[in-house]
Amino acid sequence: MSTDRRPAWAMRDLVLMVVLGVVFGFLYWALVQAWTGLALLMGPAGDLAQHVLLGGWLLVAPIVLAIVRRPFAGVLAEVLASVVEVVFLGSPVGPMLILAAAIQGAGSELPFALRRYRAPGWATYALSGLCGAGLVFVFSAVRFDWFGQDLLALRLGLQLASGVVLGGLLAKVVVDALLRTGVLDNHAIARDEHPVRATP
């Protein structure tokens, strides 16, 4: 009888999660600079730039989840990336960013959890981005009092679309590219998708 049980955490999985969390902390900080530039280019509509790019801040969760297949890996990776942004790079958002990261990480992880962390397909990645973007949108809408604004539907639509494309489908592309290089051969993703190549 088959089982979905896996060993709790291997050291290589923890190391990978930390490395990706740190790397994406720097990438997320760079995305903030892109956000600033896009907002300037968009002129009067510049406030919507955050929704256009929001999906980019969701990337690390589905990537880590797809590779290590461990509960809470997505949340932990997002939180770690936010800590790097706040503590080491001086994010202007401050500690509130860590709470937002935990929320979007939980949303991104939900579709993986519902599949019991089995091999994800395109739909799982897309739903991951959708749920991550949607959950953090509710948090932001309450925090910034967007409810009742004329632009609420537009904000939500842009953010959900960004979540699906940048926070979901792009993650699938990145994971597939990494898998082809062979650098993931010792992780759960390789054991599930290329069992002959994987080593203990």
Side-chain angles (χ1 to χ4, degrees):
M1 182 175 63
S2 63
T3 177
D4 292 322
R5 291 183 181 177
R6 300 180 185 277
W9 276 91
M11 180 58 67
R12 58 177 171 263
D13 293 331
L14 284 170
V15 170
L16 180 75
M17 184 190 70
V18 170
V19 169
L20 288 177
V22 171
V23 168
F24 273 88
F26 282 90
L27 291 177
Y28 287 174
W29 178 84
L31 192 57
V32 172
Q33 316 315 309
W35 168 19
T36 302
L38 181 60
L40 290 174
L41 289 174
M42 291 176 67
D47 187 48
L48 298 176
Q50 59 184 305
H51 306 296
V52 174
L53 296 177
L54 186 280
W57 282 286
L58 305 173
L59 262 176
V60 74
I63 290 175
V64 170
L65 285 163
I67 295 171
V68 305
R69 314 280 172 84
R70 298 287 189 269
F72 306 112
V75 177
L76 291 172
E78 285 287 354
V79 169
L80 179 57
S82 70
V83 168
V84 171
E85 282 189 86
V86 172
V87 176
F88 297 101
L89 300 176
S91 171
V93 180
M96 188 63 69
L97 180 64
I98 299 174
L99 176 58
I103 292 171
Q104 65 195 35
S108 295
E109 183 153 345
L110 180 60
F112 287 85
L114 291 175
R115 285 183 49 81
R116 300 175 69 182
Y117 301 93
R118 290 192 294 265
W122 287 99
T124 301
Y125 283 95
L127 286 172
S128 174
L130 184 73
C131 292
L135 197 58
V136 79
F137 182 87
V138 174
F139 169 75
S140 298
V142 171
R143 183 181 173 206
F144 297 113
D145 196 24
W146 290 337
F147 291 110
Q149 292 185 4
D150 293 338
L151 293 178
L152 179 65
L154 179 58
R155 289 183 186 276
L156 178 59
L158 288 173
Q159 184 149 317
L160 292 180
S162 179
V164 170
V165 176
L166 297 181
L169 301 182
L170 180 58
K172 167 69 169 168
V173 172
V174 171
V175 170
D176 285 351
L178 289 173
L179 188 60
R180 286 193 296 270
T181 68
V183 299
L184 304 179
D185 283 356
N186 290 328
H187 295 279
I189 186 172
R191 291 194 295 272
D192 287 349
E193 300 189 23
H194 300 298
V196 176
R197 292 175 54 188
T199 58

